[in-house]
Amino acid sequence: QSALTQPASVSGSPGQSITISCTGTSSDVGGYNFVSWYQQHPGKAPKLMIYDVSNRPSGVSNRFSGSKSGNSASLTISGLQAEDEADYYCSSYTSSSTLGPYVFGTGTKVTVL
Amino acid sequence: EVQLVESGGGLVQPGGSLRLSCAASGFTFSSYAMSWVRQAPGKGLEWVSGISYSGTSTYFADSVKGRCTISRDNSKNTLYLQMNSLRAEDTAVYYCAKDVSAARGLDHWGQGTLVTVSS
């Protein structure tokens, strides 16, 4: 199964909003509302930021929001802060093979200018 | 507090075997599906394997199918990944992760254990 497609990098100034896209197919992103997003700082384990397309786990800032349209999902970070500089990965449930269930995105490096 | 602690990583020669373990605490382990996710040096995340809460259903990525076995001991709150016929491309940090439920996301992750396959 192929990885979901994300831009390699996105940048923004403090206080701005940025959006990271995640493109899949009808067998994953487009077919199910099971898209999740993860934040990973260097040398650290990933942290769940969004699940079920737009739900935030307890403790995650409401500056993070998720959405989906067709075969693409998006993560928006509003009020960008220095601590948001990290790698971000999307993931989705996939039915593209019997070997599922998760497929990850290629990852996006967010830089706070 | 949910804790996942991996162990068992290390240096192994190509063709060798390793068994990774993940000790879980702070939640009802037997009620949740679990996954292994790996990250090669400088690369992105790759889902490797998953197992249902009861252990009756297992899933593998194409890259490891036939070479890996996933299992769990719910009496010991421990998840395992047996890796055989290891290749250089299996070199990665291996994370265990807890499912939110029904493949909706992975809400807790361990700190990872490094597997290096090299002669």
Side-chain angles (χ1 to χ4, degrees):
Chain A
Q1 56 207 46
S2 300
L4 307 176
T5 301
Q6 298 181 231
S9 62
V10 173
S11 62
S13 299
Q16 287 186 330
S17 293
I18 62 170
T19 297
I20 303 168
S21 62
C22 171
T23 302
T25 69
S26 57
S27 295
D28 38 66
V29 175
Y32 307 91
N33 289 324
F34 290 160
V35 176
S36 50
W37 289 90
Y38 304 86
Q39 176 192 66
Q40 187 180 34
H41 288 108
K44 301 295 186 181
K47 174 186 177 183
L48 179 66
M49 305 302 284
I50 296 286
Y51 68 99
D52 290 355
V53 176
S54 60
N55 288 343
R56 279 187 309 275
S58 174
V60 172
S61 170
N62 59 9
R63 297 186 299 105
F64 293 84
S65 61
S67 63
K68 191 188 90 167
S69 178
N71 292 339
S72 292
S74 297
L75 174 71
T76 298
I77 309 174
S78 58
L80 198 62
Q81 299 180 0
E83 67 207 49
D84 300 331
E85 187 162 292
D87 293 325
Y88 291 82
Y89 296 89
C90 64
S91 181
S92 174
Y93 172 80
T94 177
S95 64
S96 63
S97 76
T98 59
L99 304 176
Y102 285 104
V103 60
F104 280 96
T106 50
T108 298
K109 181 175 181 59
V110 168
T111 301
V112 180
L113 302 172
Chain B
E1 177 193 4
V2 172
Q3 284 199 319
L4 299 169
V5 180
E6 302 94 336
S7 60
L11 175 64
V12 61
Q13 292 189 336
S17 298
L18 272 182
R19 188 176 84 156
L20 306 183
S21 299
C22 173
S25 61
F27 66 103
T28 305
F29 180 71
S30 59
S31 295
Y32 292 91
M34 299 290 293
S35 284
W36 288 97
V37 178
R38 70 183 180 184
Q39 187 170 36
K43 302 297 184 181
L45 301 174
E46 179 190 14
W47 178 83
V48 173
S49 183
I51 187 168
S52 62
Y53 69 94
S54 63
T56 55
S57 297
T58 60
Y59 312 90
F60 299 92
D62 287 349
S63 57
V64 303
K65 183 172 171 39
R67 300 188 297 120
C68 289
T69 302
I70 188 172
S71 61
R72 64 192 297 161
D73 186 335
N74 285 344
S75 68
K76 295 182 178 179
N77 290 348
T78 303
L79 174 72
Y80 303 100
L81 184 69
Q82 175 70 42
M83 301 188 295
N84 302 320
S85 303
L86 283 162
R87 308 166 179 167
E89 53 264 38
D90 295 318
T91 294
V93 174
Y94 285 73
Y95 297 99
C96 71
K98 170 186 167 291
D99 224 275
V100 170
S101 76
R104 295 162 64 196
L106 299 167
D107 60 352
H108 289 91
W109 297 62
Q111 84 288 349
T113 187
L114 176 62
V115 172
T116 303
V117 184
S118 175
S119 55

